[in-house]
Amino acid sequence: MRRNRCLYTTPRVCCSICSDAKLKDPFSLAQKDLQNLYEDIKKQLLVSKAELNALCDYYFDGKGKAFRPMIVILMARACNVHSNKEGALLPAQRSIAMISEMIHTASLVHDDVIDDSDTRRGKNTINKVWGERKAILAGDFILSAASMALARIGNTTVVSVLSQVIEDLVRGEFMQLGAKENENERFKHYLEKTFKKTASLIANSCKAVSILVNSDPEVHEIAYQYGRNVGIAFQLVDDILDFTSSANLLGKPSAADLKLGLATGPVLFACQQFPELHAMIMRRFSSDGDVDRAWQYVLKSDGVEQTNYLAQHYCQEAIGQISQLQQSTERDALIQLTELVLRRDK
């Protein structure tokens, strides 16, 4: 990985994101458009079999952050203003926000099966309650409903863009099952996996809503790159929280990644100070005491700090992209959102 110099400088405030003008909270700004989002998703999943309904509705309880739909809504309105529209949300753009949450949730259901997770968002996982087989089928069904909703939009380019997300999710999951011996390859592998598993959905959803209102490929690229950079930063912060936040705040056990045999950013940076971690990474922290020792090495190193610098770098890139759009309340909210991503604690 070609490391940016800013990763090794003295900590500073990420960036001067906000102007003197008071910015509206991104979540509040998108709230009206997101009203009844989960009820609308449940309508897409409605089938006659009561048990399948219960499985599919389980994570759509309205208690999620709706982070991805919120970004999609704000990006849609920002692109609409930029394209000399009134900024009003198109029905198809709201559908993409809904589809993004459905794809994300289906991936969570499948991830919990693969990881044999017991808790998600502070409650038992679907696989814990109903068993692995039914959980897999529920995830598949949510994906199929998302695909049907996508087809109804009727734009072949949008279908192609969002279909890429599902391919990336699968490829990212396969990448997570492997490990690289070479340190530089390992970091590149980690960032590519992070893009495919987390950022691709945000990037391609942002691109999709821009396609619906603007034919300019440069605008599509701005939307895509903003989503890509924010998505990677979001996951980097998530990887930091696995070391710094309590299980109660996270809604899942801390040190979960180490227990799954995964070497995330803080661990990979810690390797530079504690080479003993290399062997543990290659055996996926499977020997007795590996998880505890790796945890201690990370906390003694500047791995968390370096990962935070890297997240700041990606947020700076996101700001540089979105700043190319015409000024609007939604564009400014997307800029402000990068600060919220860096500051979140769960």
Side-chain angles (χ1 to χ4, degrees):
M1 170 193 156
R2 185 173 66 84
R3 295 187 174 90
N4 189 295
R5 282 187 181 181
C6 75
L7 305 186
Y8 299 91
T9 56
T10 306
R12 58 184 174 83
V13 176
C14 172
C15 41
S16 178
I17 292 174
C18 304
S19 65
D20 292 334
K22 187 175 181 181
L23 294 176
K24 194 163 183 182
D25 171 60
F27 287 92
S28 300
L29 194 57
Q31 197 56 48
K32 185 178 177 182
D33 292 319
L34 293 176
Q35 200 169 6
N36 301 321
L37 178 83
Y38 290 108
E39 287 77 4
D40 291 342
I41 288 174
K42 288 178 182 179
K43 289 174 187 175
Q44 301 288 329
L45 299 170
L46 193 61
V47 289
S48 57
K49 189 167 177 60
E51 188 178 33
L52 182 56
N53 268 332
L55 266 82
C56 292
D57 289 355
Y58 190 68
Y59 286 154
F60 296 115
D61 56 6
K63 294 180 181 177
K65 295 185 287 288
F67 178 76
R68 289 150 191 84
M70 180 264 295
I71 290 182
V72 173
I73 292 293
L74 294 178
M75 180 61 74
R77 286 189 173 275
C79 288
N80 293 355
V81 170
H82 181 79
S83 306
N84 297 317
K85 308 288 181 184
E86 293 179 357
L89 195 69
L90 303 176
Q93 289 174 322
R94 187 178 184 277
S95 291
I96 288 171
M98 184 174 70
I99 290 163
S100 72
E101 186 70 355
M102 292 171 75
I103 294 173
H104 170 60
T105 302
S107 74
L108 296 184
V109 175
H110 285 157
D111 278 356
D112 287 342
V113 173
I114 292 167
D115 299 340
D116 195 24
S117 299
D118 291 337
T119 56
R120 165 78 64 181
R121 293 174 180 169
K123 63 182 184 179
N124 289 332
T125 54
I126 288 178
N127 47 293
K128 180 77 172 176
V129 178
W130 284 279
E132 289 187 358
R133 293 181 182 182
K134 288 180 179 178
I136 292 168
L137 293 172
D140 289 346
F141 184 73
I142 295 168
L143 271 182
S144 70
S147 299
M148 292 289 287
L150 180 58
R152 281 194 289 273
I153 290 175
N155 185 306
T156 55
T157 307
V158 167
V159 170
S160 176
V161 165
L162 285 178
S163 296
Q164 182 65 46
V165 173
I166 299 173
E167 179 184 331
D168 285 343
L169 283 168
V170 175
R171 287 180 180 272
E173 200 63 59
F174 267 97
M175 289 181 74
Q176 188 161 285
L177 297 174
K180 294 287 184 181
E181 290 194 30
N182 180 279
E183 183 190 353
N184 289 326
E185 283 184 15
R186 196 181 288 154
F187 219 111
K188 181 182 176 184
H189 181 89
Y190 163 66
L191 289 176
E192 188 178 347
K193 181 268 297 181
T194 296
F195 167 74
K196 290 186 182 302
K197 281 203 67 180
T198 303
S200 173
L201 174 58
I202 301 173
N204 283 295
S205 297
C206 286
K207 182 177 181 178
V209 292
S210 75
I211 288 169
L212 288 171
V213 76
N214 196 302
S215 60
D216 186 351
E218 288 188 14
V219 173
H220 305 164
E221 186 66 11
I222 288 168
Y224 177 88
Q225 289 298 337
Y226 174 86
R228 172 184 173 274
N229 283 289
V230 163
I232 292 174
F234 184 92
Q235 186 58 50
L236 289 170
V237 173
D238 210 58
D239 294 342
I240 290 169
L241 291 175
D242 201 40
F243 289 93
T244 62
S245 190
S246 70
N248 287 338
L249 271 177
L250 287 176
K252 60 182 179 180
S254 54
D257 291 329
L258 286 175
K259 291 168 186 171
L260 291 170
L262 304 179
T264 57
V267 179
L268 297 178
F269 276 122
C271 278
Q272 297 170 356
Q273 291 164 269
F274 297 101
E276 302 93 324
L277 281 164
H278 289 301
M280 295 186 205
I281 291 170
M282 290 312 299
R283 62 176 178 260
R284 299 179 73 86
F285 312 104
S286 58
S287 295
D288 287 345
D290 275 0
V291 170
D292 288 336
R293 278 198 301 274
W295 174 275
Q296 292 302 324
Y297 282 138
V298 170
L299 295 186
K300 288 175 185 175
S301 75
D302 62 358
V304 166
E305 187 180 39
Q306 295 283 33
T307 308
N308 187 49
Y309 284 139
L310 189 56
Q312 289 183 26
H313 167 72
Y314 279 104
C315 283
Q316 289 277 19
E317 291 291 318
I319 292 166
Q321 291 293 329
I322 199 68
S323 296
Q324 297 177 70
L325 294 186
Q326 182 179 318
Q327 193 279 329
S328 66
T329 306
E330 288 78 13
R331 188 207 70 169
D332 291 348
L334 287 168
I335 292 173
Q336 186 192 14
L337 183 65
T338 60
E339 278 196 351
L340 300 182
V341 165
L342 292 171
R343 290 203 311 261
R344 71 190 184 94
D345 59 6
K346 62 180 179 178

